[in-house]
Amino acid sequence: MMKSLRHYTLMLLIVALCTVLPLTAGAASSSVTIKTQAVNLKFDGQSLALPDGQYAFIYQDRTYIPVRFISYALQKSVKWDQKTSKVTVSEPTAAEKEALAKLLAGAAAGGAQPAAGKSITIKPVQATLVFDGQTKALPTGQSLYSINNSIYVPLRFMSEAVGTDIKWDQKTNSITGESAAYKAAQAGGNTGGGTTSGGTTGGTDPSGETKPSYESITSSAEAKLASLKTSCESTLGGLYFQYLAATDDTTKATLKSQGQQAISKCQSDFEKIIADTTDALTKNGYSTDVIASYRTEFDGYMKQINDLAASLK
């Protein structure tokens, strides 16, 4: 079941960590339409899913991924300074580590990877990249790109910048990475931890005819709900902090409208998960009592979101 968000301050911390990197200053005018690449993502032995609206793609023989996503996957903090167009990747504070653990748990809980072949438009942007206090420049001929207010960075450059093994396997369409802390733990004797039960991401029963268990149906639903919560926090968190930074009424009105649309989408996505789960439970002769608890938890979460939205002037 989705973890409770009754602690308001913790919710704001998680939302702050999920804030997208707004891209305004230094953006180039040209853009390119390309196709997305389906990828399998595994970091520190754990399979992860990209949030809704984020992708992987290959452009000019280089694999690109969201700098915020991979930084979080490697348990790094990411900050954006709009005045200087600077992205700073650094070691997280103790409080940020706690929030990152929750975010990664949600990303590992389930959710399908974005499909290959989706047409997206990428736009080159200019930004300074700072890793653990050291500014690093992209090699000549390489660029940063933006999609849906997220910065995308070449995979090899990111690997070298953070000093971590991040690898792309073209045969299996897999991106894997290991943080320094994870490597140290493995070297210390956790030799059996390379594969974890958390790495499963909703595979299907090859028989196709076996009756699913009650636990498998509810576990799938809870994984989808956790993934939805993470996605909603990411989207709404970005809009919230952009609103706080806005200085004119027109921008604020636009952001509030986008926020209401995002809230509506979160609600409709929740209803679809509930409808699908109710159908699966009913079809297989199981009780649907658990649905009420899902709805109570989600309604409480959405009340906090709506109260926060209503407080914006």
Side-chain angles (χ1 to χ4, degrees):
M1 185 178 296
M2 295 188 300
K3 296 181 179 178
S4 175
L5 294 179
R6 295 189 181 94
H7 300 293
Y8 186 71
T9 55
L10 178 58
M11 183 195 76
L12 285 183
L13 174 60
I14 295 175
V15 169
L17 280 172
C18 285
T19 303
V20 295
L21 302 176
L23 305 174
T24 54
S29 58
S30 60
S31 59
V32 180
T33 299
I34 50 101
K35 299 288 188 180
T36 60
Q37 180 78 29
V39 295
N40 299 304
L41 301 160
K42 192 169 188 178
F43 290 88
D44 288 357
Q46 189 174 49
S47 295
L48 301 176
L50 283 166
D52 290 345
Q54 294 191 16
Y55 311 95
F57 62 88
I58 296 175
Y59 181 60
Q60 295 181 338
D61 295 325
R62 296 184 184 92
T63 302
Y64 284 80
I65 48 177
V67 64
R68 179 172 61 87
F69 172 84
I70 194 169
S71 296
Y72 286 173
L74 293 170
Q75 300 180 47
K76 295 277 191 177
S77 172
V78 184
K79 294 181 174 63
W80 167 255
D81 187 331
Q82 186 170 345
K83 292 183 179 179
T84 60
S85 297
K86 181 171 68 176
V87 179
T88 301
V89 179
S90 60
E91 291 299 319
T93 64
E96 288 173 336
K97 283 183 179 179
E98 179 183 354
L100 281 173
K102 294 178 181 293
L103 289 173
L104 293 176
Q113 296 292 357
K118 176 181 175 63
S119 293
I120 57 174
T121 299
I122 60 175
K123 185 175 184 178
V125 295
Q126 297 175 355
T128 301
L129 297 169
V130 180
F131 297 88
D132 293 323
Q134 183 177 359
T135 300
K136 295 182 182 293
L138 284 166
T140 302
Q142 296 188 30
S143 180
L144 301 174
Y145 292 93
S146 70
I147 307 171
N148 299 332
N149 281 342
S150 291
I151 288 180
Y152 285 67
V153 64
L155 179 63
R156 182 176 296 278
F157 170 81
M158 187 69 184
S159 174
E160 295 172 351
V162 300
T164 299
D165 290 333
I166 304 174
K167 299 177 182 178
W168 163 251
D169 187 332
Q170 188 171 3
K171 293 182 179 179
T172 60
N173 287 347
S174 299
I175 294 174
T176 58
E178 295 181 345
S179 66
Y182 179 77
K183 285 184 178 180
Q186 297 302 296
N190 294 332
T191 56
T195 57
T196 66
S197 60
T200 59
T201 56
T204 57
D205 187 339
S207 69
E209 298 298 329
T210 302
K211 177 181 177 179
S213 66
Y214 174 85
E215 290 74 16
S216 69
I217 295 173
T218 54
S219 293
S220 175
E222 289 159 15
K224 291 176 182 178
L225 291 170
S227 181
L228 173 62
K229 178 172 70 69
T230 299
S231 176
C232 291
E233 286 172 351
S234 177
T235 300
L236 294 169
L239 292 171
Y240 176 74
F241 284 95
Q242 287 181 60
Y243 182 93
L244 294 182
T247 57
D248 63 279
D249 292 340
T250 300
T251 300
K252 287 184 176 182
T254 299
L255 290 169
K256 286 185 71 172
S257 176
Q258 292 175 354
Q260 290 301 323
Q261 292 174 15
I263 290 173
S264 296
K265 185 177 187 305
C266 290
Q267 188 71 55
S268 64
D269 288 348
F270 169 78
E271 294 298 342
K272 184 178 187 308
I273 294 172
I274 291 301
D276 291 346
T277 304
T278 301
D279 180 66
L281 290 170
T282 302
K283 182 170 62 177
N284 289 283
Y286 299 125
S287 169
T288 60
D289 290 349
V290 70
I291 297 298
S293 63
Y294 293 160
R295 187 172 294 282
T296 298
E297 187 76 20
F298 186 80
D299 286 348
Y301 166 63
M302 291 305 296
K303 183 180 185 303
Q304 290 180 326
I305 293 296
N306 281 301
D307 288 348
L308 185 61
S311 71
L312 300 178
K313 304 299 183 181

